[in-house]
Amino acid sequence: MVRRVLVWAPEYVSGRDPEVHGTFSQRSMRLTAAEFGEVERRIQEVIKEVEDAADPDDPEARLWSLDIVAADDLI
């Protein structure tokens, strides 16, 4: 998936493909394990809400892949 975004990104930046097909977002946060668990829970809640409200038959709908990888500073 990252490879697909990297191949497409120059097309977007150059204006050859004006439609958004991918994103990359990164953030470092100082949290307790419990606080991080809450972040994970809330992310899943938002994803479910949006998924439940989406119309799978909408011709504008596309299949989006979303991978979230997290690691603490102890590994």
Side-chain angles (χ1 to χ4, degrees):
M1 182 172 55
V2 172
R3 186 175 314 137
R4 289 182 3 230
V5 172
L6 288 174
V7 169
W8 159 80
E11 299 298 309
Y12 180 74
V13 171
S14 70
R16 290 187 295 266
D17 186 351
E19 191 169 353
V20 174
H21 294 282
T23 63
F24 176 77
S25 178
Q26 189 173 31
R27 168 173 256 151
S28 293
M29 301 175 288
R30 186 160 187 80
L31 303 171
T32 65
E35 290 166 335
F36 181 74
E38 179 63 10
V39 168
E40 282 188 299
R41 186 193 67 74
R42 292 176 66 184
I43 288 169
Q44 293 304 320
E45 187 176 273
V46 167
I47 290 170
K48 181 166 179 13
E49 286 175 13
V50 172
E51 219 172 18
D52 289 349
D55 177 3
D57 297 322
D58 185 337
E60 297 291 319
R62 292 179 272 167
L63 180 61
W64 292 86
S65 296
L66 175 64
D67 294 331
I68 299 172
V69 178
D72 69 14
D73 59 346
L74 299 179
I75 61 169

